[in-house]
Amino acid sequence: MIVWALLAAGSLVVVVSSVAAVLVRDFYRRLHWLTPVTSIGGPLIGLSLAVANGWSLTTAVVLLTVVLLGITGPVLTAAVGRTAAQRDGIVES
């Protein structure tokens, strides 16, 4: 039951964030809606896979992927936002 709850919560975050990102017209607001996918949705789905599989090498790989996604996702979103702001003249180099 815990596996299904984690999977449902992670999937809900991904679907809601994706739909909201499509509906918002501004590029910078779209970036804000995509960040929960990497910082909340991905870890919840990865955790559900880890609980379902039990402890094994596969689980270690899934957890490593989730940690890397959680660390690099927001950083990459910030880098894309800063690059776009520099291109639009909002922020100086």
Side-chain angles (χ1 to χ4, degrees):
M1 198 56 119
I2 293 172
V3 172
W4 288 107
L6 290 170
L7 184 63
S11 299
L12 182 67
V13 168
V14 170
V15 168
V16 168
S17 293
S18 300
V19 168
V22 168
L23 294 177
V24 174
R25 302 239 186 249
D26 184 34
F27 173 75
Y28 300 104
R29 292 186 185 180
R30 283 185 182 175
L31 283 178
H32 286 289
W33 279 108
L34 293 178
T35 302
V37 173
T38 58
S39 58
I40 300 171
L44 285 173
I45 293 171
L47 188 59
S48 73
L49 289 172
V51 170
N53 288 334
W55 185 249
S56 66
L57 185 59
T58 305
T59 304
V61 171
V62 167
L63 292 177
L64 177 65
T65 304
V66 166
V67 167
L68 289 175
L69 179 69
I71 292 170
T72 61
V75 173
L76 289 174
T77 302
V80 168
R82 181 166 175 81
T83 303
Q86 287 174 347
R87 182 196 64 208
D88 292 343
I90 298 171
V91 176
E92 293 183 16
S93 302

